[in-house]
Amino acid sequence: MNFLPFVVIGLVSGSVYGLAAIGLVLTYKTSGVFNFAHGAIAAGGALVFYSLRTDHHVPWPLAALVSVLIFGPVVGLIFELIARRISRVTAAWQILATVGVVIIVEAVANIAYGQQVKTFEPFLPSGTFQLGDVSIGYDQTITFAVGLVAVTALFLLLRYTQLGLSMRAVVDSPDLLDLRGVNPTYVRRSAWMLGCTLASLSGILLAPSVNLDAKALVLLVVQAFGAAAIGYFSNLPLAYAGGLMLGVAGSLMTEFIDGTSWLAGLPSSLPFVVLLIVLIVTPKRRLARVSLVPLRVIKPPWQAPGRVRLVFCLLLGVLLVFVPKLVGTRLDAYTAFLIYTILFLSLGLLVKLSGQVSLGHLAFAAVGAVSFAHLAGHGVPWGLAIVLGGLITIPVGAAVAIPAIRLSGVFLALATLGFAVLLEQMVYPTTLMFGQTTNGVAARQPDVSFLDSSRGFYFLVLGCVALVVITLTLVQQGRMGRLLRALADSRTALETHGLTSSVTLVAVFCISAFVAGIAGGLLASFYRFATAATFGSPGSLILFAVLLIVAAGAPWYGFLAAAAFVLVPTYITVSGITDYLNLAFGISAVLVALTVDLAPGTPQIIRRLLGGKSRPVATVEADSQVVAPVAPVAPVAPVAVVPAAAPIPAARATPAASTPANSVEVRDVVVRFGGVVALDGITLRAPGGRITGLIGPNGAGKTTLLNVASGLQRPDRGAVMIGGDVVSRRGPAWRARHGLGRTFQRVQLWETLSVEENVRMGREAYLAGGRIGTQLFARPGESRTITEAANDAMELAGIIELREQPVRNLSAGQRRLVELARSLACPFGMLLLDEPSSGLDPGETRIFGQTLQKVVAERGVGILLVEHDMSLVMSVCEYVYVIDFGKPLFEGTPREVGAAESVQAAYLGVEASDDLFAELVSEDA
């Protein structure tokens, strides 16, 4: 068999995929914003080229120059402005902006040229030449050569020019680049212009193979995501090589699977298979989000008091009951509106409540629809078939949750999009789902004999909506809802307070998939057919955009989004209204994403009118560090510091019997990050009943050591022990449930919650643990336990007066006290505190030290304290470890550490006094 023709074809298409992939990687590396609209830019370039060449009869070389060298850079300038604006908001809003551009381009293409695909005439020379027994076209050779030349030129630019070096440097340290006189904004702007130019070029080169079909072209270029994944979204040569490999592999597969119908979609789906595999197996640190600036906190939508929401729900229910008498012939539209309300509510459970970005939600509905259709077609009663269709969707939701366990933000969005496209291209055409014809699978409606079929089905769907609203409201108002809201803010904080978040994520995906499956079954029954066109992957992008545009709480966002999606085009009978509406959705998505952190929120007059009590909110930016002084704490008599007589002195207090294991020990720990050794043979023990210090210069590895102890970082060598038991393979949630608490150098709070809610959530996460039952339902009496623990912890930390303040409005010092109080609300036997006094003034630091001593004295817990404030360390610690460059340097009592010449030279400076300890203690006094 001669494989050379397939290799040639694969190299041509693969070169274009690689070209698009390096443009995508370049913009992502330099800005930290992943451009989901990369394929839309390619489609836009092809549209401009087609318009100039076909509509305005411009010679193709000039049309190509305009499309590539003018359209590409101009779009790059626009995208750089967008990326700079959205770089300070969370991933969901960044994704919304770029998804909005995709929707805009597809809508504009349909408005300009209609739904019918127009022929994109080839423009490159069409002759051939012989290479052995294979005829190779000049157009193929030119396409491959253009890609290769572009990649080579980019490589030389990055390696040998000042601009290229700046592009590589801006990823690692934009501030340092700025100090050297190079404007990081100029560098990123250049990268965006170059990346969009490459995208436009790839669109023109690929367009002849799919003609003028914006959706197909967007999807074709999106295959470059798979090539970018091979390069770990960061390595340009690997990304280009990945494009070549995918092109060749896909081309060869068309020959190998010829005649195997169920594998017909594999060649076009291969990039998404690779994308999913890379996202699942790649170490998380290789997929870390590039964060160049601190993110702003987006205020959650205000909600009226419960009684007001209940009244409005009842009023809406009454109105919906009378809809059949009010809308006449538009009743079917209102039935569809109710079904899409269920679909939006299921998506909102993921996106709005738990912060999990899903770009393939219609795939769940598709599984539910086809399952219902097949079951009902085999005689299963209608209602049972609807429920079973939803249940069949649950394992699909659990499978999609696998990437969610490891990933978040951009990479979870990529995984869900890849899953949806893979299902659409490989499984939709099989007899398992919709089959290869456009007719789909027949689905029947129920026999509602007491009313005519339309009214009867409407009321049946209305009953389903009521059940879904009640069920999801109970979930959102219960423990699971509180955990999901906290999960959207900081998964790490939940894990380090005892919650196994993987269980929570699987649960929410399964619940969401079940409800979406119900909606899919209702849609199939409504249309009387389940067809693949109803559940295409582009529709999932529109659902995501419309949902985030609607700034409302549950369940109102479901009704409002469905009304915009279904009812508006029913009342506006303009030709092509769907495309114009999609254009409006796309523009709104971009505008909302650009201004979401500037939204004023619900006016105070409406809040007062509806009887809501507003929390006092300081008039500062979300990332401001100054609000009000820390609430004072009653003075506490300092606990005497007893020098240790041995390297590891005995604990001076016996913990209560109910206290979990209260000691932590690391033995001969080694941690490597690539070729860098962060920790090299560190051994340390922090027993209960005392405060153990850990000090060292910046970059010494202190935080890495705490990450190893708490389970956030697995060591390359060595062991971790809690209470004498080896726990090296246990995760942070398990360690937290067995007594290990943690605060962070970069404070991990749930930003959308108040101070009291943060402290309460710490204890609730501990109680929810790792079982689905305890995460869904609280045991009797737990609410009282949580309240008492939270009040005691806030009182001890001195923040009781701040209990109703949103934490996003607190100063840096106040935020650290909230994090400490949250840990104190849990029955931890050992606390790992990472620079907890940062942001406190000297007086507050002294009181803070007394608080730590009081906690140790009264509760018998142990504390491992990482600090740069030496006066605090020397006054409260009984034993201190010193590390430098990841290696142990010294250990001993505070007096011994202060007198050690090696410590003075490495940490405190060679000019330090021999009587350093006395000086530091006197400073603290």
Side-chain angles (χ1 to χ4, degrees), residues 194-356:
L194 185 56
C196 292
T197 298
L198 294 176
S200 181
L201 177 60
S202 63
I204 293 173
L205 294 175
L206 286 172
S209 63
V210 295
N211 291 316
L212 196 68
D213 186 341
K215 288 184 179 180
L217 191 55
V218 167
L219 189 61
L220 202 60
V221 178
V222 164
Q223 295 193 29
F225 290 2
I230 292 175
Y232 299 111
F233 303 98
S234 61
N235 189 302
L236 293 172
L238 267 182
Y240 181 72
L244 293 178
M245 288 188 292
L246 290 175
V248 172
S251 180
L252 290 173
M253 281 183 180
T254 59
E255 173 66 15
F256 283 115
I257 66 173
D258 186 30
T260 309
S261 59
W262 63 276
L263 288 177
L266 182 58
S268 59
S269 303
L270 182 62
F272 300 101
V273 174
V274 171
L275 175 64
L276 289 174
I277 292 174
V278 169
L279 292 176
I280 291 174
V281 304
T282 302
K284 291 173 66 174
R285 64 178 181 272
R286 298 293 298 269
L287 298 176
R289 180 188 180 277
V290 181
S291 182
L292 303 177
V293 290
L295 300 182
R296 287 187 181 273
V297 179
I298 308 303
K299 293 185 292 186
W302 176 81
Q303 284 193 334
R307 63 182 185 280
V308 176
R309 297 201 303 272
L310 179 60
V311 169
F312 273 90
C313 280
L314 293 175
L315 291 175
L316 177 62
V318 171
L319 177 62
L320 292 174
V321 167
F322 285 99
V323 158
K325 295 184 178 180
L326 300 174
V327 300
T329 58
R330 291 191 175 94
L331 182 59
D332 282 348
Y334 279 84
T335 303
F337 153 74
L338 291 177
I339 297 173
Y340 273 96
T341 297
I342 298 175
L343 194 57
F344 276 111
L345 286 172
S346 68
L347 179 58
L349 191 64
L350 286 175
V351 177
K352 288 272 192 179
L353 186 61
S354 62
Q356 306 303 305

Side-chain angles (χ1 to χ4, degrees), residues 641-649 683-687 690-695 863-865 873 876-882 890-897:
V641 178
V642 181
I648 301 180
T683 296
L684 173 151
R685 181 171 180 263
R690 82 171 189 193
I691 304 177
T692 303
L694 175 62
I695 64 174
I863 294 178
L864 178 58
L865 177 67
V873 172
V876 303
C877 294
E878 298 180 34
Y879 200 78
V880 180
Y881 291 85
V882 187
F890 191 84
E891 64 177 270
T893 65
R895 188 178 299 276
E896 293 168 345
V897 169

Side-chain angles (χ1 to χ4, degrees), residues 820-847:
L820 174 65
R822 191 176 62 189
S823 293
L824 295 177
C826 299
F828 294 135
M830 170 61 64
L831 297 177
L832 310 180
L833 307 183
D834 197 349
E835 298 189 23
S837 72
S838 177
L840 302 180
D841 63 32
E844 294 164 349
T845 300
R846 182 174 61 254
I847 296 173

Side-chain angles (χ1 to χ4, degrees), residues 10-37:
L11 285 174
V12 172
S13 59
S15 180
V16 182
Y17 295 156
L19 194 67
I22 61 175
L24 177 68
V25 171
L26 183 64
T27 55
Y28 179 60
K29 281 186 67 176
T30 54
S31 69
V33 175
F34 191 91
N35 187 14
F36 281 86

